[in-house]
Amino acid sequence: HFGAVGAQIQANSLVKVCGTSTCDIAVAPAIDKCIPGICGQVDGSVIPGMVGLEAGQSAFGDVYAWFKRLLGYVGELNLPVIEKEVATIPPGSTGVSALDWFNGRRTPYANQKLTGAIFGMNLGTTAPMVYRALLESTVFGARAIVDHFRSNGIQINKVIMTGGISRKSPLVMQMCADTFNLPVVVAACDQTCALGSAMFGAVAAGRYAKVEDAMNAMGAGFDAEYLPNPELVPVYEKMFQKYLEYGKMVEKETL
């Protein structure tokens, strides 16, 4: 929650801490209902006077790490090299799709019995094709959270990214912008939780009257912005719908 403040959260934005898993935080004015299927909803838990909402994914970077371990069993695997090749593959061109539930699903509607899956492979499928599908699956899992908030009346107009993946993978950040069809910005501060703690401390000490004032004065801003590519938005939309279909199939078969 302090990290969301350090990333200068505001109403109508979603702060997504992207690392091994994700923690997603949104804030909204007074809400007269409980939002179903998320991880927490507490009045004043992020910014006093607003309702803090928490969601997240059980695995994000951990999915990439699993792939590295799998293919690097007999030697070191260089993911950045593979990612460069992934970037040359047009989205939707491989026929390979994946589900990101390798550590279960946290949001929407937590279900730790669910498992990851890869679909559409054949003897011509390459490691970069599979890796691209895994990257896309984590992004689609993130899109499912954005859609869940929106379907429950929480407007999301911008996504603020922080954490290791946000700085290490411009490709994933652009995929997010294209899949969400929203601007994605990356917090300039590497330690947003520490910065958020300092902001709260400054308010508690009386240096600033409220958290919003501390965020405006102490915030580090953003050092990268990714805008949706209009040509790719419909491509990713079609792929996301397939992701949802595969998800329903796997969930139906999961006891």
Side-chain angles (χ1 to χ4, degrees):
H1 291 200
F2 282 18
V5 171
Q8 296 173 266
I9 193 171
Q10 55 187 245
N12 302 327
S13 67
L14 176 71
V15 171
K16 193 170 184 71
V17 184
C18 285
T20 55
S21 57
T22 78
C23 184
D24 300 9
I25 301 290
V27 292
I31 301 173
D32 60 0
K33 65 175 182 179
C34 288
I35 306 299
I38 64 174
C39 300
Q41 175 177 330
V42 181
D43 190 0
S45 67
V46 181
I47 296 179
M50 304 191 80
V51 178
L53 305 163
E54 181 181 350
Q57 292 169 259
S58 294
F60 202 93
D62 272 349
V63 176
Y64 314 159
W66 165 79
F67 181 76
K68 181 178 180 178
R69 291 195 305 272
L70 181 70
L71 268 66
Y73 184 74
V74 295
E76 184 67 19
L77 181 71
N78 193 321
L79 285 185
V81 171
I82 290 185
E83 188 166 309
K84 288 181 180 179
E85 186 169 343
V86 167
T88 68
I89 301 174
S93 65
T94 68
V96 183
S97 302
L99 291 175
D100 58 316
W101 300 336
F102 287 82
N103 198 31
R105 185 181 65 210
R106 187 179 179 209
T107 314
Y109 299 102
N111 186 343
Q112 297 309 121
K113 293 182 179 180
L114 296 174
T115 60
I118 302 173
F119 305 89
M121 293 193 296
N122 56 44
L123 293 179
T125 300
T126 65
M129 290 179 182
V130 175
Y131 192 49
R132 182 176 186 94
L134 293 173
L135 297 181
E136 291 165 348
S137 75
T138 58
V139 171
F140 294 156
R143 161 71 185 274
I145 293 174
V146 172
D147 284 4
H148 186 72
F149 275 129
R150 285 174 154 177
S151 67
N152 282 281
I154 307 301
Q155 186 60 41
I156 305 294
N157 297 330
K158 177 176 70 176
V159 177
I160 301 171
M161 295 286 192
T162 184
I165 301 298
S166 68
R167 310 197 70 80
K168 293 177 181 177
S169 181
L171 175 62
V172 171
M173 295 300 100
Q174 186 60 54
M175 283 182 178
C176 285
D178 295 338
T179 300
F180 304 162
N181 195 18
L182 291 172
V184 171
V185 296
V186 177
C189 177
D190 286 333
Q191 301 293 334
T192 52
C193 291
L195 180 57
S197 299
M199 291 174 177
F200 277 115
V203 175
R207 181 65 178 83
Y208 300 104
K210 55 184 180 179
V211 173
E212 292 89 337
D213 294 341
M215 285 195 292
N216 290 334
M218 300 171 64
F222 311 100
D223 59 5
E225 181 179 24
Y226 301 86
L227 300 177
N229 182 334
E231 295 181 359
L232 294 181
V233 168
V235 177
Y236 280 108
E237 178 64 30
K238 183 176 180 180
M239 296 166 66
F240 175 66
Q241 295 303 320
K242 181 179 289 187
Y243 166 90
L244 294 179
E245 292 175 7
Y246 283 138
K248 290 178 182 177
M249 179 180 69
V250 169
E251 192 158 13
K252 182 178 179 181
E253 296 299 321
T254 302
L255 299 179

